[in-house]
Amino acid sequence: MTARTRLRSVLLTLAFVVGTAVFGWLAVPLIGLAWDVLTHERGVGGAWTAALAATLAWAALLLWTASQGPAAVLLLTLGRVLHAPPVMLVVLTLIFPAALAWSAAAVGESLRAVRGEG
């Protein structure tokens, strides 16, 4: 991985953090699509890069939010209500942005291919 690629990935992760903090979860697919439009990455890499960056961003937001209050109590309570292990709630929380970002970037890539730009 080159320094330029690493920098772009960090900037994308920061975009997901700021977008989610300001606009909520709806920012995730919009940023994923914008990533594809702006970078024109070909193949699987672009969508997976967006998914990984969104997951890392939400993990950072989750850790920051957990440090502000009793997250363990909340996870245990929700786990009991939903009859699920608390760790599964965290995993599902992180799968959500990955799926949104990946699918939006993949849609952008497919649209480009249909239009003959890919």
Side-chain angles (χ1 to χ4, degrees):
M1 178 183 277
T2 66
R4 183 177 182 211
T5 304
R6 244 179 273 129
L7 177 63
R8 287 173 47 179
S9 297
V10 168
L11 291 175
L12 178 61
T13 302
L14 289 174
F16 279 119
V17 167
V18 172
T20 301
V22 174
F23 299 108
W25 70 268
L26 286 173
V28 174
L30 296 176
I31 294 169
L33 182 61
W35 167 256
D36 179 74
V37 169
L38 294 174
T39 62
H40 301 294
E41 286 196 28
R42 304 294 187 257
V44 188
W48 286 110
T49 300
L52 179 61
T55 303
L56 291 174
W58 275 43
L61 287 169
L62 194 58
L63 285 172
W64 179 78
T65 304
S67 72
Q68 303 301 307
V73 174
L74 175 64
L75 281 174
L76 289 172
T77 304
L78 283 175
R80 286 187 196 119
V81 169
L82 298 172
H83 303 289
V87 71
M88 185 56 80
L89 300 174
V90 174
V91 169
L92 290 174
T93 299
L94 297 177
I95 288 173
F96 180 65
L100 286 175
W102 181 88
S103 60
V107 164
E109 188 175 315
S110 296
L111 290 174
R112 248 193 353 266
V114 167
R115 291 178 41 192
E117 297 174 17

